Amino acid sequence: MTSTGSVVESVEAGNATVSLGNVRRTYYLGEPVHALDGVSLDLPDGSFTAVMGPSGSGKSTLMNMVGCLDTPDEGTVHVEGRNVTALSGSERAQLRGTELGFIFQQFNLMPRLTAAENVTLPLVFNDAVDVDRRERAETLLSRVGLGDRLDHAPPELSGGQRQRVAIARALVNEPSLVLADEPTGNLDTGTGAEIMDIFAELHAAGRTILMVTHERHIAEHAERIVHLVDGQIQEIEQLDSGAHTGGSQ
Amino acid sequence: MKVTESFRISWRAITGHKLRSGLTTLGIIIGVGSVIVFMVLGGAFEQNIAQEIEEGNDEPGMWVHTQQADSGFGDSPFVRAKFFTDSDVAALESIDTVEFVAPSARFPVAQLTHDGHQRTGGFAVEATTPERLEGDVVEGDTFAAEDEIVLSKEATDLVEGGLSVGDEVEISFDGAGSGTFTVVGIVEPTSTGGNSLVPTAGYVSLSNYETTIETPDGNQERAYRDLIVAAESSEVLDQAQQDTLEYLRSDSDAAQLKEDEHVLKAQTVDDAIDQVGDIVDQLTVFIGGIAGISLVVGSIGIANIMIVSVTERTRDIGVMKAVGARKRDVIQLFLVESVILGAIGALLGVLVGLGFGYLGVSVIGWPMVLPTDWILIAVFIGVTVGVLSGLYPAWRGAKVDPIEALRHE
Ligand SMILES: Nc1ncnc2c1ncn2[C@@H]1O[C@H](COP(=O)(O)OP(=O)(O)OP(=O)(O)O)[C@@H](O)[C@H]1O
Ligand SMILES: [Mg+2]
């Protein structure tokens, strides 16, 4: 989990949680739109990667590709050593349920379920996991500072609290990879900083993280920043691995 | 995904929209409710008639009458013409398995007058023989002369001031003249008057009965519309019925006097009960059809709400898929929801139907019969309607693209 600072492409697929090989995704609306135009990227185990770029540059498309929600028109996607393009829809769903954790800009909690039930929602679709859900939810919500909000419904929580519930949900299946698309996009600066502290803890605990943001100071919590422009990687910027501790106070 | 999990989540969705869910199930409630009401009433009616027929006929026997030939639709009407002659009565009585034959000779009463007080219609007087009088004479004696009448106990208060032994009554019959009779006795009948809806007020001598017909042999004989043929015992009832029909269809005067399209029948109590059952069954099919229509309407209602529900929760579906829900999980979730709606509708319909049905039978005074099989059928139908109306919405939900759904503003 140490940042080597070397060229990312050289990391072997075996050590990478995620490996994209020359991925293309094109939308045809009259003219073809190349949302991703030949992207190759590895996410090494335990790495923390931020993605930045102008609106429409393909950040969310990249996210969906890594998150096994989308499949490429061309190229290869490997997640946890599995060839995603070869998987069926329900196999990809199972992969998401067991290996991935999603955090969204709009939190995306189920409005009729309590915080605790939202946290354990992924386990509902995963019959194999047999744990005390209540206990699991309590542990995770306490870890994000919401130990006293287990039975609150999402409408009764503030934006920052909702995002903490969403983070707890993303961690409930002990995922190897956490994906976050603009996790602080709907939060004020202070609350955003608190959320980034939690990300720092996750990173310290060895989780692989991929985070989309358009805010430089948020991106600086990561080890490196992938700059996307028009569906292509323009630059991979290596950050001083200590930078995030200094930048988050 | 465990079914219990989908119940928990679906139940949240349903209770989250109580009014909407309630209105949605209304069609099913009405459909199932009306079936159950009808089944309670129909069952009670059948049971009541069966009880009455059985109570009024503690002696094994059959009702011999003429009916229009079977048209193929429902029950053919009875023939009112009188074809059974005294010779037929005598011949039937000579059959070994037959105990006696009672010709029914009822006169509908137009008016009964006593001491200036009058009572108009609604009852009948039966011409019979003292031996055939079904009941216990509780006061006075049975009739001996042509101008004597034995009143049934309920008839004693037909006119103001009441009637008792020794009174003179003047009776005018519907289209059959009139006569003055002396009340000689009061009888507590054991029979409610066979299959007639009009109560029997009294009994007079058969000699009052004057309808005659020319027999095939050229004689004038009294003729009757129908006969009660009593069997020697219930063990030989079937045999008696066979023997009676055999005689009627071959040698009887009635066979020759009746029209070609008429059929001679000998109906036992069991036959009569079966027939009531048949009528109720036919009505059941009819009511079933109406209920079927309202169930179709109800299931369209559920399907409609489920489509709305899927559309509203597009984003939720996207979230669920992102966190690992497969297509079949989404289908299961929405199917369970519509099945819950259908089953709740059916259960409420059963309760409402039982309530109204119970109210109905207690007002009429019939026995309450729980239509157990129909309750089970109703619940089964509710679940089926739920599944059918949930299929398309669930499939739409399963098809939601999580990427699109999550982009949903
Ligand atoms: N479903 C779609 N149909 C057609 N075009 C699409 C679709 N999804 C994305 N695109 C196009 O692909 C390109 C990349 O979209 P994407 O959502 O990945 O951008 P983004 O970098 O996340 O932008 P933003 O910062 O605004 O979220 C855009 O030009 C977009 O219009
Ligand atoms: Mg985006």
Side-chain angles (χ1 to χ4, degrees), chain A residues 54-61 63-64 105 181-182 212, chain B residues 407:
Chain A
S55 184
S57 57
K59 304 186 292 297
S60 294
T61 307
M63 207 67 177
N64 295 335
Q105 179 174 354
D181 197 346
E182 306 262 18
V212 167
Chain B
R407 272 217 301 216

Side-chain angles (χ1 to χ4, degrees), chain A residues 93 96 108 117 127 133, chain B residues 1 5 8 12 315 321 324:
Chain A
R96 292 195 292 271
N108 283 337
E117 286 167 336
D127 293 339
R133 301 230 187 114
Chain B
M1 177 182 194
E5 292 289 353
R8 189 172 58 89
R12 287 298 165 78
R315 176 184 279 269
K321 284 194 162 182

Side-chain angles (χ1 to χ4, degrees), chain A residues 25-29 33-36 52-64 70 105 181-182 212 214 228 231, chain B residues 401 403-404 407:
Chain A
R25 184 75 170 95
T26 311
Y27 291 104
Y28 297 93
L29 290 174
V33 176
H34 302 287
L36 290 180
M52 293 190 72
S55 184
S57 57
K59 304 186 292 297
S60 294
T61 307
L62 174 68
M63 207 67 177
N64 295 335
D70 205 352
Q105 179 174 354
D181 197 346
E182 306 262 18
V212 167
H214 60 268
L228 270 186
Chain B
D401 175 7
I403 301 170
E404 288 300 320
R407 272 217 301 216

Side-chain angles (χ1 to χ4, degrees), chain B residues 55 148 158 174 183 188 194 200 207 282 290 299 402:
Chain B
E55 274 168 15
E148 289 177 349
L158 268 180
D174 254 350
V183 178
E188 193 147 25
T200 306
S207 51
Q282 281 167 20
I290 292 176
S299 72

Side-chain angles (χ1 to χ4, degrees), chain B residues 132-313:
Chain B
R132 303 291 134 75
L133 209 167
E134 284 183 29
D136 308 317
V137 178
V138 290
E139 216 186 308
D141 213 339
T142 184
F143 52 82
E146 204 176 303
D147 62 351
E148 289 177 349
I149 186 168
V150 175
L151 286 181
S152 79
K153 199 155 183 231
E154 288 118 55
T156 52
D157 52 5
L158 268 180
V159 293
E160 229 179 293
L163 293 167
S164 52
V165 174
D167 286 346
E168 293 237 312
V169 291
E170 199 187 316
I171 299 173
S172 42
F173 298 103
D174 254 350
S178 65
T180 306
F181 298 86
T182 310
V183 178
V184 292
I186 309 292
V187 67
E188 193 147 25
T190 51
S191 158
T192 50
N195 302 43
S196 177
L197 292 171
V198 182
T200 306
Y203 304 85
V204 296
S205 163
L206 197 55
S207 51
N208 281 289
Y209 190 80
E210 281 162 356
T211 310
T212 58
I213 196 168
E214 195 181 321
T215 65
D217 306 339
N219 305 324
Q220 281 293 324
E221 277 187 31
R222 280 200 290 252
Y224 309 98
R225 193 168 76 192
D226 51 346
L227 314 169
I228 300 294
V229 174
E232 285 288 348
S233 66
S234 32
E235 286 76 44
V236 298
L237 179 58
D238 285 349
Q239 186 59 46
Q241 188 180 20
Q242 247 176 21
D243 296 345
T244 301
L245 281 172
E246 204 178 295
Y247 166 73
L248 286 176
R249 286 178 182 164
S250 52
D251 301 333
S252 69
D253 290 344
Q256 298 172 59
L257 291 169
K258 73 173 181 64
E259 312 275 329
D260 280 350
E261 73 267 24
H262 293 164
V263 188
L264 300 174
K265 299 253 175 181
Q267 186 186 52
T268 65
V269 170
D270 286 347
D271 294 341
I273 293 173
D274 284 353
Q275 205 169 7
V276 173
D278 284 350
I279 295 171
V280 171
D281 285 351
Q282 281 167 20
L283 278 172
T284 304
V285 171
F286 177 69
I287 299 286
I290 292 176
I293 293 170
S294 85
L295 286 176
V296 168
V297 173
S299 72
I300 292 173
I302 292 186
N304 183 37
I305 283 303
M306 290 304 300
I307 290 171
V308 171
S309 180
V310 166
T311 310
E312 273 179 355
R313 282 187 278 162

